[in-house]
Amino acid sequence: MSRAVLVDLTRCIGCRSCQVACKSWNDNPAEQTKCLGAYDNPPSFSADTWTVVQFNEVEQADRLQWVFAKRQCMHCEHPGCVAVCTVGALTKTPEGPVVYEASRCIGCRYCQYGCPFGVPSFEWDKPLGLIRKCTFCVDRAEEGYETACVKACPTDALTMGTRHEMISEAHRRINARPHKYHGHIYGEKEAGGTSWLYISPVPFEELGFPMLDGEPMDYASSVIMNATPVTLAAAVGVLSGLYWLTKKKSQAAEEEG
Amino acid sequence: MDLSRRDFLKISGVATGGLFLPSGTALATGAYSYPLHKPIGETPTICCFCGVGCGAIVAAQDGLVVNLEGDPDHPINRGSLCSKGMALAQLNTVDGKPNPKRLTKPMYRAPGSDTWQEKDWGWTISEIAKRVKATRDENFIAQDDQGRTVNRLEAIASFGGAALDSEECALLVKALRSMGLVYIEHQARI
Amino acid sequence: MTNHWCDLQNSDCILIIGSNAAENHPISFKWVTKAMEENGATLISVDPRLTRSSSKADIYAAMRSGTDIAFVGGMIRWVLKDMEQNPGRYNMTYVREYTNAAFLIDPEFKGAPDLDGKFSGFSPGDADPNFGKYDKSTWTWQKDQNGIPLKDPTLQDPNCVFQLLKKQFERYDPETVCGVTGTDLEIYLQVCETYAHRSGPRGRSGTIMYAMGTTQHTHGTQNIRSYSILQLLLGNIGVAGGGINALRGEANVQGSTDHCLLYHILPGYLAPPNAAQPMLQDHLDAKLAGFATFDPKSASWWLNYPKYFVSLLKSWYGDNATEANDFGYEWLPKLNPGTNYSHIPLFEAMAKGDIKGLFCWGQNPAVGGPNSNAERGALKNLDWLVSVDLWETETGAFWQDPAAGGAAGIQTEVFALPAAAAYEKEGSVVNSGRWSQWRWQAVDALGEALPDLDIIKELMVELVDLYEKDGGAVPDPITKLRWKGWYDANPLPRGADSLVDLVSREINGWAETTIKNDDGSVRYDEGKLMGTFGHLMADGSTSSSNWLYTQSYNETDGNRQKWRDNVDYHPAGIGLYSKWSWCWPINRRIIYNRASVDLDGNPWDEEDFVIRWTGPEGNWEGDVPDGGWAPMNMEGTRYPFIMKPEGFAHIFGPGRTDGPFPEHYEPMESPLNPHPFSGTQNNPAITIWRPDEFGTPDEYPIVATTYRVTEHWQAGAMTRNMPWLVELMPEMFIEMSVELAAELGINNAEVVTIESKRGSIQAAAIITKRFKPFTIMGKTVHQIGMPWHWGFKGLSVGDSANKLTPHVGDANTTIPEYKAFLVRVKKGGVE
Amino acid sequence: MTTLAMRKPSTTGKIVLAILALVALLGVGTGIYRLVVGLGATTNLSDAFPWGLWIGFDFSLIAFAGAGFTLAAVIYILNLEQYRPLARASVLTGLLGYTAVLVILLIDLGRPDRFWGFVVFWNYHSPLFEISWCVLLYTTVLALEFAPMLFERFNKPNIVKAIHSITIPLVIAGVTLSTLHQSTLGTLYLALPNKTDQLWWTWVLPLLFYVSSIGMGLAATIFVWILGSKAFGRDVEVDLLGGLAKGSIWIWVFYLVVRGGDLLFTGDMAAVFAFDSQSIWFWIETIIGVILPIVLFSRASIRASQGGLFIVSLMAIVGVFMNRFNATLTAQAVTQYTVPAVSEVASYSPSWIEYSVQFGVLAAVALAWYFAARLLPIFPETAKEGH
């Protein structure tokens, strides 16, 4: 059964304990930051920052809402990063996490393109750099603990369970308080579904979430890639055939000549 | 709940989240297994920041803190913490080393000097006691101008205590009042 | 807090005013969220700007800093009007029987409506006739021949408190209120109706969460009074999910206040003797006179004062405290009556050179004190300064202040002592809900850092030694102390296994001699820990460093502060967790809880009851009741508000220095002069130290306030040295509205200068929609806000907001007016 | 044994060679520096732009090096024997092109020490995995095709003969591998549907990449042949090259029809006329690389002129370079997530070290081509191999 986290933005108070919990559990050092003219910091994901809470001032129908959204690896059901990784260093486990096996990685950074959420980050400062990203606290999970961020969340804005349970819980909350939520469950369908699911008081466009359809990132490429053996056989066949034809033609010409 | 399990020194740290019942060994079937890369924590403490009084558990190795997170048994915070509380480990340990900003030795700054000097505790305590005695002896008000016995000292003041443990506060107030202090003030008013 | 954190879940309506719980007490929102999600509670947030707390609120009302009494006064007026039309929506029994609403007040008493904003008895001061003192003799109730207060249970007598309250707030109509506070009228009316109707009916509860946004005003105490009056009218005190809840900002500000590291109180909220009380009996007589009651139904708990006072003296002076020597009473310092020894006058005395030595125990006034330019200047007058801290603070390093003009001219000797962090030592801390919780040592202190406990012990041992050897000015208070040979004995006395254990036992108290019952049987052997403060004695046979904590460490249970049973044993499951740690007094988790039941002992709220009377011969079940007496309709009962001499909660509060009712005054620096409520501009009972240091709105047109952020703590020495937190909030900043930024041509994130009459600082601009300009009496008034966490030391440095704040304080407590002052803002950094 | 060794370079030639050597040397130095201190300190790459100049050049050079498989197919599969004189040069171009690709790729990898990773760790869903394997195998094929020149030079006729005996299987393998990876380079962007601009993202992108690599291969052959001939002062076989140019018209027409038809079919045509930076780049690459070569190569006079052939083939080359750079940079949205408070959009322009390494490698390859042509039987007049 695949694990998932439901992020309820109506409950998040923007305290960012999840951000520190992530650094703390993963022994990630702090970054040098500066005031960006808002509370958000660090400005982006990086090799040392795997989750960031964004602060959104959303004005709708004369009402100003301050909506906080924790962002991190979405642990897609059909992860783009996994699809493109040259060496299979990234894998989607049946339990949910998209895990990264550092010992395989060659540092090609294709995963950074493959991810629609801008998640994998590269260790630019190291001579031998690797990719770093949220692990879904796969080690904690294996021992039966919640992820560091889910555990740290004061208001249960983060809830962990099976993906199926979390989707039902999201529906339950939206149905129980329809006025409080914008009805969409982000991640239920997006990019083929994700293990991190969001419900929000405002449309997700307002929060800058990528607007994705239900197709996995690698939908098109995998059709082509899966056709590789066919292409291969066809190429060999066509080339051999052409060769045979032209050879025959030229031999005939020679004989004639 | 199984109370016999609740030996405080052996807090299991098992998550209290009701919905999350992990499959535990499920990943062992995969190509890799992911054992905990460090201990979760076993010594309970109370967060030293605000007045909510959240519980935390601390894991220490070789004299440094290797992990600190919310105490899952604590009825107020139930394993959660805010960002300040989550960062508590850094009071002691930053990036695997002692926090370099911590004071680790008594320091003394001489009149007019622009630097600190490191001192030992014996010298420091003895010198401070001498200062207190000199100031007290010189400025003690045994009787006020109306001839009433007041036994007070207005030339020394004390600030603070909200960050101290209660036992420390109890000792401190006893010490300060015995010296005759009346300028006793702390964060409750600030 | 009258209640506690977990109890927030039981609330039907939560009013956050003067606090920003989501940011400064984030875990409180676990319980606020629970109340909203599971109890259907409504959340109201009142704040000058939309905060992280407001972001979760059902109703957010913007309010100009410093106008709480106008805001809440208008709510009180709304409730009083609604009570006339819809009495069924309110718990009138509570108002009549448990508060002093029915009391008849001295007809000589005149209130603010009569005296243009002042109360009877005012005499102007010499320096400025706007400020003076009150003679409070008319602020009292009429009494019958037995000395029992006269009441009108119909609440109709024009001299009864209820009618006087109505009269007091008649001027606070919604339009005038919103003209002063700048709140949108429609939203304001929504706040009034929602709070009254969600929390007013019987069985419903509403809670007010407040903090320094309430207290740090020249009328801070009266701000709280206005909340209390509202809560009493709505029957919200003593009930689950109710109360008046001060969210305390430091881990042990409650414990340190209980132990009274404050000039005006001794441990357990006893009074320090003053010069007019030469002998113990003089002191006790003076105190007891104030607690006297002639009503047999009034408990007036403070009548036990002598027991607590003598037990404290015994605890301090041990065997040297005897009946013959007044238990060492003479050794206690006597305050000069009427002298204020609090923070502001302390620094004024320092500025004058009267203070030679200063101890700072984890406190950093160079950043946290008001008018910090002046306060940093005053530090230069010290001969010596001892700063005990984890870090090099701005106070300990004040001589390095870049603005100080060089260290060479500063003659102060400074000792910076390394203290152990919370989990590097063992001891207890008391949270806002009065839970005294133990923390264990997880790791050794870094380097040579020591627990403060050891530092205090060693220092005092050394001092006692010096006085024993060399004598000196009046050595007895020091040499007679139970200290040397006690705390450093080996083995430690009374079976203690560590110093902290000994002190913890001492706080609880023990029998100094064998104590016998009336029948001659032994109640306590000598040295046995006291089981309850009910057993403390005034004859020197018991000692306790703090009567409030008696029971915390007893012979039966051991150290209850170490208890970690997190099962909620309350029969209604309201989340008291009575076996998790220990709570004062005697583990009562919700105080004034006898007001949560009707006259027969049946709870107003059957579902979420705190206590209930279980039967004819019965008993109370639930929380530890506020005194075990029977319900009000039975024999041997007592009124529920046992700490008040007459037993009733104070809607009319004669104890304050600035009036028995709250009255709106503007902050010392205000954009609104005059204001529409009266001709009295400022709280007339405050003290003015620096009359020339107030700015006027023509020079400084913008209202400013200070606050904290989740990611930093107080004066910042802790959090500005923790990289993960510095990363989240790296810089000093100022928040301002989009409109003000446009007016001043300021771009987001650029550096701006903020100037007040007292100083100027620079900060990065955060331009936000969360601040909106106010319309105050028809005029646009801008407000800005900034955190006060920064200073010039540590990993993250920045200007201190308190360079801008004034040296003026509340009339009752002298807490500085940090939360409302005037500034101007300019593009660019400080020149 | 005839070689061009006796043909000493002119003074201008010497200066050019010296400059190339200098640039190559600087490239080696900066390349080593990059390996020692890491990517962050030496490049302007970031999480917002993980791929830059190097990857842009790499993907372009793979197309350029398509000269190898294109000519092999023309000569051996289509049996157009008249082009056989060009075969060796195109193999050399291919081999050196792929060598440059591999060197740059190595420098660009976060873990150059693990460049072999894809051999051991397989992810056959990954376009880059397939490309890596194909490039590895195809470079081997090229090396084998190149081997006879070496062995001829060193008079090992048996080995030459042995290799010749497997020429056809080698050519079929080479063309097949090229077909796979030249098209998969397009698939590489197909896997980034939300990042790649609609003007480049299309289901037919693999086909477009494949077709353009053939056009590029022809253009590269013409370009290199002319440049190489000039370097050794030999006459250029204009008629031969004109034939290739004529052939390439049909390639580019096919390309244009597919790309235009796709844009019409998918309704993305509006974006073509949006005239934002993407559409402007689209127009530039299409006009320079496709439309102008079609128009100009259609003129027999240009096909018959050495200068015309050179310039127009260069246009096609530049066009395909642009196409690959556009797909890698212009068409790609910033890959990194940033919080809403960050208002400025991240941008990328290569650091001088990136340029230095890139041009160093190109210079080294040019030098290698020159010396190979000088020392080995590359041009027909030096080749032993008869018809």
Side-chain angles (χ1 to χ4, degrees), chain B residues 11 49 51 73-74 78 84 92 102 104-105 108-109 116 131 136-137 155 160 167 174 184-186, chain C residues 251-252 256 263 334 343 356 363 392 412-413 424 428 432 437 448 467 471 473 487 564 566 577 710:
Chain B
I11 290 202
F49 292 121
D73 292 335
H74 199 285
R78 305 191 168 199
K84 279 196 296 291
N92 180 283
R102 275 283 294 274
T104 53
K105 274 181 180 304
Y108 171 69
R109 182 260 178 184
W116 293 109
R131 302 293 182 285
R136 184 178 182 274
D137 286 352
E167 294 73 19
K174 181 174 175 180
I184 298 173
E185 184 63 315
H186 91 295
Chain C
N252 202 27
S256 57
Y263 83 92
K334 313 290 183 298
H343 183 102
K356 313 287 183 199
Q363 189 164 0
E392 184 187 8
T412 312
E413 284 183 286
E424 297 170 352
S428 66
S432 239
Q437 307 186 87
E448 294 177 21
Y467 273 97
Y487 296 129
R564 288 178 54 86
N566 65 3
Y577 304 103
T710 310

Side-chain angles (χ1 to χ4, degrees), chain A residues 43-45 52 54 82 84-85 87 102 105-110 112-113 115 118 122 124 129 225 228 243 246 250, chain D residues 36 40 46-47 50-51 76-77 79 108 110-111 114 121 123 126 129-130 180 188 193-195 335-339:
Chain A
S44 61
F45 296 140
V52 179
Q54 59 180 60
V82 169
V84 301
C85 180
V87 288
C105 179
I106 57 173
C108 72
R109 311 186 294 284
Y110 192 13
Q112 298 193 272
Y113 286 91
C115 173
F122 183 72
W124 296 101
M225 291 310 294
T228 299
Y243 172 75
T246 54
S250 74
Chain D
V36 173
S46 64
D47 286 331
W51 288 349
Y76 296 104
I77 306 294
N79 225 350
D108 188 79
R111 294 300 303 256
R114 294 187 188 161
F121 303 121
N123 178 21
S126 167
F129 170 78
E130 190 200 297
L180 285 179
L188 185 143
N194 77 316
K195 292 240 168 57
T335 55
Q336 185 184 34
Y337 163 79
T338 48
V339 297

